[in-house]
Amino acid sequence: MRPPGYDCRLGPHLQARLAVWLEEGPAAHGWADDQVWTASRVRTLIGRKFHISYSVSGVTRLLHRMGYSVQMPARPAAERDEEAVAAWREVTWQEVKAAGRQPGRGSASRTKRA
């Protein structure tokens, strides 16, 4: 018995073609400003190449089924200044962070105040 829901609109052969295009990188398909595939860009690519409409969340699920995952940088940016970050955390963050709830008598009722 098959799981409920719609069948994937991109069959295995179309998924293989999509994987090849993804490996070529975004610049090969018109996004020259950076080398990052986003779900929105993949959605646009699928629409251009296959004339099939997907939602952004549908593309995310499709990519996950194809073995792709959200990627985070392997190392911090070269421009990052650790000393400046530490100073900001110690001084500026302490000034701007919310103080939190003040201690005091409260009420368990949603409609009545103590």
Side-chain angles (χ1 to χ4, degrees):
M1 184 172 180
R2 292 183 8 198
Y6 293 105
D7 290 334
C8 184
R9 288 179 274 172
L10 290 181
H13 63 288
L14 295 180
Q15 289 180 20
R17 287 177 57 192
L18 177 61
V20 170
W21 291 328
L22 293 176
E23 292 299 321
E24 292 172 354
H29 299 281
W31 291 282
D33 52 339
D34 61 21
Q35 287 296 300
V36 177
W37 279 116
T38 63
S40 180
R41 287 181 177 182
V42 175
R43 176 182 184 244
T44 302
L45 181 68
I46 291 171
R48 286 180 187 168
K49 299 290 188 175
F50 301 123
H51 305 287
I52 295 174
S53 177
Y54 265 88
S55 66
V56 173
S57 61
V59 168
T60 302
R61 288 190 299 271
L62 171 68
L63 291 174
H64 183 74
R65 282 192 305 269
M66 290 174 62
Y68 290 92
S69 64
V70 175
Q71 298 294 308
M72 300 302 287
R75 60 187 185 282
E79 301 86 13
R80 184 177 170 112
D81 183 0
E82 291 298 333
E83 290 176 11
V85 171
W88 183 88
R89 282 185 185 142
E90 291 173 9
V91 178
T92 309
W93 175 242
Q94 297 304 321
E95 294 173 4
V96 299
K97 76 176 183 177
R101 190 171 177 187
Q102 297 297 323
R105 193 169 162 192
S107 171
S109 172
R110 293 185 191 190
T111 58
K112 293 183 180 178
R113 300 186 121 196

